[in-house]
């Protein structure tokens, strides 16, 4: 494990130990002692002989040996020189608890840079500064000032907020939740979230990686690592705060629709990270991943001593898209033999209000053996005769004996079930305070199993004309032009296999009519100006023109009205275009996130895109499955499939369009944002048409 020296040090020096209770330098030392750490502990403080029975040295060098781990708790201005001492001595793992760095502004940021430089020079790994420390229950090491040492367990936790870790420790200790490691990463001057996640991945004790993050540093590397790790270890994260990127100065639809959170949503979806909305939800999931076997399918059986909660659970199963298990004939026969006549033998299996622990035990044991059941939710309401504690014991016994399927407990109540809940927790039985949460967790586990078993990603490559695109983009960059005009944007699209409508530019009304005659009616007229991005906003689009007279009138009207509306626009003429009939309008787009790269967008197209906001995002490059999934993630998809007897459109053709676009933006990092709106799609076999497109380019995007 790469951060081994932090988690399994043979000796620890606390630099800045203090005699004064309540001071961080005192609390950390005390936590290390109270946690039962078995290695050597050295205090360092020139003014003190001893703290809490631990000898204090005047300086690091005076110790006479090299501590594996140093914890620095002295004022910020002394941290740099002390780190240098660590370097000279040979200590390779240092936690800097001290605050007063990047978080306080420019001077602090300078200090932090210096700190990182020294760490690199001496090959020291530094956690922090401005952090709460680390906790490794396996080594009984509590090098933090967060709280008491928690139990050992399968959850590895990483937090960008130190204070939050203190809350988590408190909650975990009250609820007997076990951890493999907890790391407060603070300002991430050296060790960042990726280092910790990778080290938790290598750690056999860690069954699930959980964390709270506000920012993610190296986008590309993060996505790649997470995708690799989630293949064998689940990651459940809370991500707070949006990216700074997003809607700023966006000229495309995609740019304005990609909010701060969109990139993270896409990153999580792509890398299989499970996103949690609250600490409570995170621990609901993490507990299950850490303690329970994985389900082999989505068929859930419910065992209950009351009708109401059984129905609530059945509702939840339906709502969350899981399957209500159908117990086999043998199971039903076996249950019938021993359960009272009034019991309901079918799912939800109602063993009645007078059920004692033995009846629960029999029912759980029997249902667990059924091949038609993938998971069990055990409900209990504390009625007059209910033996909640004994029922918990029975459940634990079975779970230990047959550890093959998830058994989730949902004991509903407070005082009357509290002892039972505690027993379940101590024995690592996932338990939930509502059927909804139990079922939600099963859903998440199921999705994870599917994610693990997904086929390998294969990105299809289309035969394209890269050369042509290169020439157009280079010309723009050379001339310092950011926006690629509609005509050239379409040339680029054609080079990547898109079909665009026929048409030419007219500068007089007669010329417009002539072009229309050649194209055939009806036609569309569009204002042609590099200064007008959204043409219909200024009355610059006229569709369905059926004769030369209509074309001429429309031409004259546009040329009269638009210069009045926007006097500064440089109008080059009017585009006369063939009219595409009978198709549905969708939008395909891309916005390049500065951290995570190209974010593809699909959605309902036309002029109402920003109003309806029915769009979905995913990171390029796209596989066929991912492109299809993007379609399915919108409401528009239902419409595209065909509603009320109406024939659907060619879904595969849209997915292919998305993949071609994804190839284009992957091969040309200079394209900053772009969209095709509308992309007019018709029935199967009819080639979709890129009716309108816009694109902006930039040197050296990611
Ligand atoms: P803009 O987005 O700049 O306003 P568009 O070229 O996208 O201009 O045109 C606006 C709308 O007009 C489109 O969303 C579409 O509904 C319709 N439209 C434009 N051109 C055509 C065409 N060639 N065939 C059919 N409909 C068109
Ligand atoms: Mg448009």
């Amino acid at each position: 494990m790469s951060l081994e020296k932090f988690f399994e040090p043979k000796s620890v020096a606390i630099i800045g130990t203090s005699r004064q209770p309540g001071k961080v330098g005192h609390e950390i030392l005390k936590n290390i002692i109270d946690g039962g750490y078995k290695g050597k502990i050295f205090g360092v403080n020139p003014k003190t002989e001893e703290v809490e029975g631990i000898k204090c040295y005047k300086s690091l060098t005076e110790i006479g040996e090299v501590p594996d781990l140093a914890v620095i708790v002295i004022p910020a201005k002394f941290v740099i020189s002390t780190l240098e001492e660590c370097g000279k001595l040979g200590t390779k793992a240092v936690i800097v608890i001290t605050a007063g760095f990047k978080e306080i502004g420019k001077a602090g940021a300078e200090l932090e840079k210096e700190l990182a430089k020294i760490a690199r020079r001496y090959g020291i790994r530094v956690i922090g500064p401005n952090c709460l420390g680390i906790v490794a229950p396996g080594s009984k090491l509590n090098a933090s000032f967060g709280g008491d040492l928690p139990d050992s367990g399968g959850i590895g936790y990483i937090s960008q907020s130190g204070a939050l870790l203190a809350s988590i420790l408190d909650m975990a200790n009250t609820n007997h939740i076990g951890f493999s490691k907890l790391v407060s990463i603070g300002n991430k001057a050296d060790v960042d979230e990726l280092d910790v996640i990778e080290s938790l991945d290598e750690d056999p004790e860690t069954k699930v990686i959980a964390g709270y993050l506000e920012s993610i540093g190296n986008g590309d590397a993060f996505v790649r690592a997470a995708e690799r790790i989630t293949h064998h270890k689940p990651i459940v994260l809370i991500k707070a705060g949006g990216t700074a990127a997003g809607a700023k100065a966006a000229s495309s639809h995609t740019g304005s629709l990609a909010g701060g959170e969109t990139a993270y949503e896409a990153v999580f979806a792509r890398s299989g990270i499970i996103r949690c909305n609250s600490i409570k939800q995170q621990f609901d999931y993490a507990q299950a991943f850490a303690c329970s076997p994985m389900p082999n399918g989505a068929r859930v059986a419910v065992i209950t001593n009351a009708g109401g909660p059984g129905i609530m659970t059945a509702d939840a199963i339906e709502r969350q898209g899981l399957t209500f298990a159908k117990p086999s004939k043998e199971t039903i026969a076996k249950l019938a033999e021993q359960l009272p006549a009034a019991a309901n033998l079918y799912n939800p299996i109602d063993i009645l209000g007078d059920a004692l622990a033995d009846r629960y035990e029999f029912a759980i044991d029997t249902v667990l053996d059924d091949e038609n059941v993938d998971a069990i939710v055990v409900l209990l309401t504390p009625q007059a005769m209910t033996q909640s504690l004994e029922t918990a014991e029975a459940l634990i016994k079975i779970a230990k004996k047959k550890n093959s399927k998830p058994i989730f407990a949902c004991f509903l109540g407070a005082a009357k079930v509290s002892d039972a809940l505690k027993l379940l927790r101590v024995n690592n039985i996932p338990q939930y305070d509502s059927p909804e949460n139990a079922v939600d967790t099963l859903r998440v586990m199921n999705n994870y199993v599917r994610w693990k078993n997904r086929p390998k990603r294969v990105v299809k490559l289309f035969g394209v004309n890269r050369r042509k695109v290169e020439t157009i983009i280079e010309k723009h960059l050379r001339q310092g032009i950011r926006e690629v005009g509609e005509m050239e944007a379409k040339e680029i699209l054609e080079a990547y296999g898109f079909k665009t409508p026929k048409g030419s530019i007219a500068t007089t009304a007669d010329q417009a009519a002539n072009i229309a005659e050649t194209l055939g009616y009806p036609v569309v007229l569009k204002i042609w100006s590099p200064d007008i991005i959204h043409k219909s906003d200024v009355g610059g689009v006229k569709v369905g023109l059926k004769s030369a007279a209509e074309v001429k009138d429309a031409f004259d009207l546009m040329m009269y009205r638009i210069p009045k509306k926007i006097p500064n626009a440089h109008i080059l003429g009017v585009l006369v275009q063939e009219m595409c009939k009978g198709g549905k309008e969708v939008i395909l787009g891309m916005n390049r996130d500065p951290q995570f790269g190209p974010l593809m967008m699909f959605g309902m197209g036309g002029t109402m895109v920003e109003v309806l906001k029915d769009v979905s995002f995913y990171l390029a490059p796209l596989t066929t499955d991912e492109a299809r999934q993007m379609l399915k993630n919108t409401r528009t998809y239902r419409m595209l499939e065909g509603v009320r007897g109406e024939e659907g459109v060619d879904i595969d053709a849209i997915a292919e369009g998305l993949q071609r676009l994804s190839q284009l933006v992957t091969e040309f990092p200079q394209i900053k944002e772009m969209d095709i709106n509308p992309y007019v799609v018709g029935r199967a076999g009819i080639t979709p048409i890129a009716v309108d497109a816009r694109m902006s380019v930039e040197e050296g995007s990611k």
Side-chain angles (χ1 to χ4, degrees), residues 9 34 170 175 267 290 302 317 360 629 632 648 652:
D34 291 352
D170 186 26
N175 293 322
V267 164
V302 181
I317 290 170
Y360 264 105
Q629 193 55 47
K632 287 183 190 155
D652 288 347

Side-chain angles (χ1 to χ4, degrees), residues 510-527:
D510 284 335
Q511 207 183 352
N514 284 339
I515 297 171
E517 292 288 334
T518 345
L519 289 174
Y521 295 101
V523 294
V524 182
L525 244 57
K526 294 183 188 180
I527 196 72

Side-chain angles (χ1 to χ4, degrees), residues 677-678 692 694:
N677 181 32
D692 183 25
R694 67 188 40 102

Side-chain angles (χ1 to χ4, degrees), residues 253 526 533-536 606-607 675-678 691-694:
H253 298 286
K526 294 183 188 180
I533 292 183
H534 296 294
K535 299 175 287 293
S536 18
T607 45
D675 48 50
I676 304 176
N677 181 32
V691 167
D692 183 25
R694 67 188 40 102

